[in-house]
Amino acid sequence: MKHALVLALVATAALAAQTVPVPAAQGRGGGTPPIRPAPLAMADHAGFQSIFDGSSLKGWDGDPAFWRVAGGALVGQSSPQNPVTQNTFLIWRGGAPTDFELKVEYRLSATNSGVQIRSVQLPAGGDTGKWVMKGYQADIDAANQFTGQIYEERGRGFLAMRGQATLVPNGGPPKVIGNLQQTPDELKALIKSGDCRRGSNRKP
């Protein structure tokens, strides 16, 4: 099953797939170059099912002090008058998907965030608030230091840095088994920092 989600976190950065020029490659013996995979088409939602209705928090559960819908997007916002003192998540309650693909468009103006997948909610208590998840996180941060990395929240920490393919054995630390064709810096360059062209929040 495929799912699409639009997530806005107080706008100024957006992630999009772009084609990066790659030097022409020659096939073995100087013949026809090998066929390269096409870049991810972010605008193609064929076969995807939206898990956000675009107008309400139906199917979602989170602290209403921080989460709302605005401009057709899910928005999480804190402020000096309403700071986040503990991690807090907006949790989708619409089902338990098996294998899936998830497309997310996001904006971020400050701090560190992420999209949790294959995660479980922890019981509240101590330094754990009501809406806290443990599990895999696709990292996002405004400075793009961590964006594109896989982190295990409340678990083993960083599992894969940007551009890495890793193997995480049971009971063992992650091991790098490969890298993407694009370097971490090339991948970082795909992120449209400061892009405020979409959505209703256009603050710099």
Side-chain angles (χ1 to χ4, degrees):
M1 182 178 293
K2 299 181 179 181
H3 296 288
L5 164 67
V6 177
L7 175 65
L9 298 173
V10 197
T12 60
L15 178 66
Q18 297 176 340
T19 302
V20 175
V22 179
Q26 294 293 323
R28 293 182 179 178
T32 304
I35 297 173
R36 295 185 180 276
L40 181 66
M42 287 297 293
D44 181 7
H45 296 154
F48 281 80
Q49 173 187 346
S50 179
I51 58 175
F52 168 53
D53 65 14
S55 61
S56 75
L57 290 175
K58 182 179 179 180
W60 296 86
D61 180 22
D63 189 340
F66 299 107
W67 293 98
R68 69 183 192 279
V69 173
L74 297 169
V75 178
Q77 185 173 20
S78 62
S79 67
Q81 297 75 30
N82 184 35
V84 174
T85 58
Q86 297 177 323
N87 278 6
T88 187
F89 296 76
L90 182 66
I91 304 169
W92 182 59
R93 303 289 193 190
T98 54
D99 291 342
F100 65 91
E101 295 177 34
L102 177 68
K103 281 189 179 182
V104 174
E105 296 180 39
Y106 76 90
R107 288 206 174 129
L108 194 66
S109 65
T111 197
N112 179 40
S113 189
V115 177
Q116 297 280 139
I117 57 172
R118 299 293 186 220
S119 298
V120 296
Q121 187 174 5
L122 294 176
D127 68 341
T128 304
K130 180 178 178 181
W131 295 276
V132 173
M133 306 296 289
K134 171 184 170 65
Y136 301 117
Q137 180 181 118
D139 245 333
I140 302 169
D141 72 295
N144 290 323
Q145 179 181 356
F146 305 113
T147 302
Q149 299 176 169
I150 301 297
Y151 182 80
E152 187 176 31
E153 179 79 17
R154 304 271 173 154
R156 294 164 290 182
F158 291 106
L159 300 180
M161 311 304 273
R162 183 168 49 236
Q164 289 181 342
T166 62
L167 172 66
V168 187
N170 289 334
K175 297 180 180 179
V176 178
I177 59 173
N179 292 281
L180 300 182
Q181 290 180 331
Q182 292 164 299
T183 68
D185 285 343
E186 288 172 332
L187 293 169
K188 182 177 177 179
L190 300 179
I191 302 167
K192 296 182 179 180
S193 298
D195 185 350
C196 294
R197 291 175 296 175
R198 299 179 63 183
S200 61
N201 190 331
R202 299 182 182 274
K203 295 179 181 179

